[in-house]
Amino acid sequence: MRLLRSTDLALRVLMRLAVAGDTSPTTREVAAAMDVPYTHAAKVVAELQHMGLLTARRGRGGGLSLTEKGRGASVGGLVRAFEGEGDVVDCDGAASTAPCPLRSDCRLRGALRRAQEAFYASLDPLTVTDLTADPTGPLLLGVPRVR
């Protein structure tokens, strides 16, 4: 299974903010440090803010900071939220021109759904704080800040 770019970025933003300490990087700084377009980072930051996982302050002295909810957020829950509820494969033809002719009696769809849920379930016990334990935390602090 391959994660959407926004899911990957959301996890990395939360991890970076988890080790930020008293600093509050801006969305622009996060985008530059993660080497992603500002507009993409801004959309992800807005969604994380909407979910109550981070706060964003504008203006002088502003920036991003992780909330307690964000620190304790389940990685599995975050991945589910960003990836959506869709199946691994498109059996119903929503993204293509025609539904799969095997969809009514195919065992693959169920097997892939169980595998997807096992993937999420393996991430459920992990929190953002868990992801920033040594040796990752110090590495995240080394991610350059752009001013």
Side-chain angles (χ1 to χ4, degrees):
M1 183 170 166
R2 185 177 184 100
L3 296 180
L4 296 172
R5 191 170 180 199
S6 57
T7 305
D8 173 49
L9 181 57
L11 292 169
R12 290 189 291 140
V13 166
L14 292 173
M15 290 169 62
R16 177 62 181 89
L17 293 178
V19 298
D22 293 336
T23 63
S24 296
T26 66
T27 303
R28 254 185 224 294
E29 291 171 336
V30 168
M34 301 297 174
D35 196 25
V36 298
Y38 169 77
T39 54
H40 189 62
K43 287 178 188 176
V44 168
V45 164
E47 182 61 27
L48 292 170
Q49 185 178 13
H50 177 73
M51 295 167 71
L53 304 177
L54 62 79
T55 58
R57 292 179 312 284
R58 291 179 173 232
R60 188 177 179 141
L64 306 174
S65 58
L66 195 60
T67 65
E68 283 305 311
K69 182 178 178 182
R71 289 186 190 286
S74 162
V75 174
L78 289 165
V79 173
R80 279 185 189 88
F82 274 86
E83 292 293 311
E85 298 294 322
D87 287 328
V88 176
V89 292
D90 180 21
C91 301
D92 295 325
S96 63
T97 56
C100 175
L102 303 175
R103 76 182 180 281
S104 62
D105 294 319
C106 181
R107 292 181 165 187
L108 178 61
R109 185 179 197 175
L112 290 174
R113 188 175 290 136
R114 288 188 300 278
Q116 180 181 22
E117 186 49 43
F119 171 75
Y120 291 143
S122 70
L123 297 175
D124 282 340
L126 292 172
T127 66
V128 171
T129 299
D130 294 334
L131 294 179
T132 58
D134 286 345
T136 306
L139 289 173
L140 286 165
L141 289 172
V143 172
R145 288 187 47 154
V146 178
R147 283 239 177 232

